[in-house]
Amino acid sequence: MHKLDLQNNSVPVYFIGIGGISMSGIAELFLDKGFKVSGSDLHESSVTKRLENLGIKVFYSQEAKNITTDIGLVVYTAAIHADNPEFMEAKKLGIPMLERAECLGQIMSHYKNAVAVSGTHGKTTTTSMLSYVYLEAELDPTISVGGILSGIHGNMRLGKSENFIMEACEYADSFLHFTPTTAIVLNVEAEHLDFFGTLENERLSFTKFINLLPENGLLVVNNEIEGLENLIQNKNIRIIYYGLRPVNGREPDYTAKNITYNDFGFPSYELIVKGENKGLVELSVTGEHNVFNSLAVIAAALEPSSIYPKGIALEKIKQGIKKYTGTDRRFQYKGERDGYTIVDDYAHHPTEIRATLEAAKRVKHNRLIVAFQPHLYSRTKTFLHEFATVLSMADIVVFAEIYAAREENHHDISSDNIREIMSENGHEAYFFKTFEEVENFLIHTCKPGDLLITMGAGDIVKVGENMLK
């Protein structure tokens, strides 16, 4: 593997897939350090426009001619295949190359306090919430998060301290390239089976991730993960459990008691740390799942670390958590039209959808309407019946066609298959092939007092945004 030298900024760096949320952040980091940065993406977006405004040259095609002999490093994503023209040309010219996760891992290794947030769900929210805690405590962290965070005006922040906070994605074993001193594991469920094949393989990768922790490194883990005892094999680390319930006689070290919700669905609770009441914690995001996320954040911040032997002050932690109002596309309020409210959410797995809809039920509304765009053909086929079951929590569901992302439809699957199951079970569900049809239906269906959620990891967000124009 090529060894990254962040001090030698005379080397131009090229990013294949620069418009990705993580890649764009890394590109900005290199730019901030004085490197000449360029890259390619197949489509113009708000992210690529931002990069261009910063002075980064972006090509909207991926052709061999974009790779020039003066480039000293090529960074590419796991979605780039060996037959990609730019990838092939870089190989042909002998230009050093790093996959995105390899690059981030090498950057991370320069920090004494490196926190990696992993899990099937909730990574972006938890990374963002922890970032707010560090910012509130004025600890000047470097941050890499998989969403746009208003507190840092983007998805990457370059600090000057020894603190690095990173979202650690398990897809393609990306997180196995990282070098954390603290690891958070939020949950482990069947996901990305197009890569892992089985849940057992996925669990094995999480075990390998935990094993990356150094001696006396800190693992903060959800007490309620199924089969947790078999997941943790690293015996030389400190383990802190968080959650709401004991499992097999194992009490969580960090838990919440007397949870209440205000009119916006924001929870508050009494924090219990190792049996001691530490007072009230107030959140400014919805749902019980964010109670779990906040407990992970508190544990990671309050526990002693190599450079903070007493941890971060609890009041600063509480203030940071309360100031966190969400990340783009995480139960994000978009606006109102004709008396009904439009919210957007990134949920694309049945567990995430359930958490979002449970949170929505705590928000005052008449009918709950969901416009859902499944993400990936493989995921849709794997969770076909689970999607139908969980989406039945809504009063009306409108399906857009599947967002393909990196896949081709070898599964002969459509969003309409989910709609068919729901309709057979007596639930009101509709399917439309185009966004224009989805918008027109919603405009004529939504009534004052309704709550409309556009949901999915694709571009379904455009539907709600167009309705508000």
Side-chain angles (χ1 to χ4, degrees), residues 292-339:
F292 275 85
N293 293 338
S294 67
L295 287 171
V297 166
I298 294 169
L302 192 58
E303 286 296 312
S305 67
S306 59
I307 60 176
Y308 303 113
K310 295 184 178 180
I312 298 173
L314 181 56
E315 285 309 308
K316 292 293 184 183
I317 296 172
K318 290 182 178 181
Q319 290 166 14
I321 286 174
K322 188 172 183 179
K323 286 185 178 180
Y324 173 67
T325 57
T327 312
D328 279 9
R329 305 216 58 202
R330 272 67 178 182
F331 210 86
Q332 182 183 14
Y333 173 81
K334 303 296 287 187
E336 294 190 12
R337 171 180 173 142
D338 299 332

Side-chain angles (χ1 to χ4, degrees), residues 128-174:
S128 301
M129 195 181 292
L130 183 60
S131 298
Y132 265 71
V133 167
Y134 271 69
L135 292 170
E136 180 67 20
E138 299 181 346
L139 299 179
D140 192 24
T142 293
I143 299 167
S144 175
V145 61
I148 301 301
L149 185 59
S150 61
I152 62 175
H153 309 291
N155 62 305
M156 191 93 188
R157 179 187 190 273
L158 184 61
K160 306 299 183 185
S161 72
E162 295 286 352
N163 301 305
F164 194 119
I165 302 169
M166 176 193 290
E167 179 173 336
C169 181
E170 72 276 13
Y171 180 68
D173 279 342
S174 292

Side-chain angles (χ1 to χ4, degrees), residues 157 220 281 388:
R157 179 187 190 273
V220 175
V281 175

Side-chain angles (χ1 to χ4, degrees), residues 198-453:
T198 66
L199 173 58
E200 192 53 42
N201 287 337
E202 184 177 356
R203 287 175 60 86
L204 180 60
S205 285
F206 273 92
T207 294
K208 291 177 180 177
F209 171 68
I210 294 169
N211 287 342
L212 295 174
L213 285 167
E215 186 173 354
N216 294 320
L218 176 64
L219 172 64
V220 175
V221 63
N222 185 342
N223 193 52
E224 299 172 34
I225 294 175
E226 187 174 347
L228 186 56
E229 300 83 356
N230 298 323
L231 198 71
I232 304 171
Q233 298 178 4
N234 191 337
K235 306 300 182 183
N236 299 315
I237 57 175
R238 294 181 294 132
I239 304 174
I240 293 294
Y241 301 95
Y242 72 90
L244 299 183
R245 288 162 282 273
V247 176
N248 297 329
R250 184 184 60 239
E251 294 283 346
D253 299 296
Y254 285 68
T255 191
K257 300 292 185 184
N258 301 320
I259 303 171
T260 60
Y261 296 84
N262 66 14
D263 290 344
F264 300 103
F266 299 163
S268 300
Y269 60 86
E270 291 177 25
L271 172 65
I272 310 298
V273 178
K274 300 170 185 176
E276 184 180 350
N277 192 319
K278 295 291 186 178
L280 187 68
V281 175
E282 298 175 282
L283 277 65
S284 300
V285 286
T286 59
E288 184 184 83
H289 61 293
N290 276 316
V291 173
F292 275 85
N293 293 338
S294 67
L295 287 171
V297 166
I298 294 169
L302 192 58
E303 286 296 312
S305 67
S306 59
I307 60 176
Y308 303 113
K310 295 184 178 180
I312 298 173
L314 181 56
E315 285 309 308
K316 292 293 184 183
I317 296 172
K318 290 182 178 181
Q319 290 166 14
I321 286 174
K322 188 172 183 179
K323 286 185 178 180
Y324 173 67
T325 57
T327 312
D328 279 9
R329 305 216 58 202
R330 272 67 178 182
F331 210 86
Q332 182 183 14
Y333 173 81
K334 303 296 287 187
E336 294 190 12
R337 171 180 173 142
D338 299 332
Y340 57 87
T341 301
I342 301 177
V343 167
D344 180 65
D345 196 89
Y346 194 73
H348 53 279
H349 183 282
T351 299
E352 297 167 350
I353 294 170
R354 181 176 298 280
T356 297
L357 297 185
E358 285 178 348
K361 287 184 178 296
R362 298 185 184 279
V363 178
K364 188 177 179 179
H365 63 272
N366 293 334
R367 297 181 302 173
L368 176 57
I369 302 173
V370 174
F372 181 59
Q373 179 190 41
H375 184 262
L376 299 178
Y377 300 111
S378 59
R379 183 184 286 122
T380 306
K381 186 174 180 65
T382 299
F383 296 114
L384 186 67
H385 290 276
E386 289 86 347
F387 279 131
T389 298
V390 72
L391 286 166
S392 299
M393 294 171 65
D395 297 298
I396 300 173
V397 180
V398 183
F399 289 95
E401 194 47 281
I402 297 167
Y403 187 84
R406 57 184 176 266
E407 292 186 340
E408 295 182 9
N409 191 4
H410 300 304
H411 303 274
D412 191 28
I413 195 77
S414 165
S415 303
D416 197 35
N417 297 123
I418 312 175
R419 194 275 312 163
E420 288 176 352
I421 296 171
M422 292 188 66
S423 296
E424 288 171 1
N425 290 323
H427 298 289
E428 190 172 353
Y430 305 87
F431 167 75
F432 300 101
K433 290 186 176 180
T434 68
F435 277 0
E436 182 178 3
E437 292 174 294
V438 172
E439 289 172 28
N440 287 337
F441 177 83
L442 291 171
I443 287 170
H444 290 96
T445 301
C446 293
K447 298 178 180 179
D450 287 345
L451 174 60
L452 168 62
I453 304 178

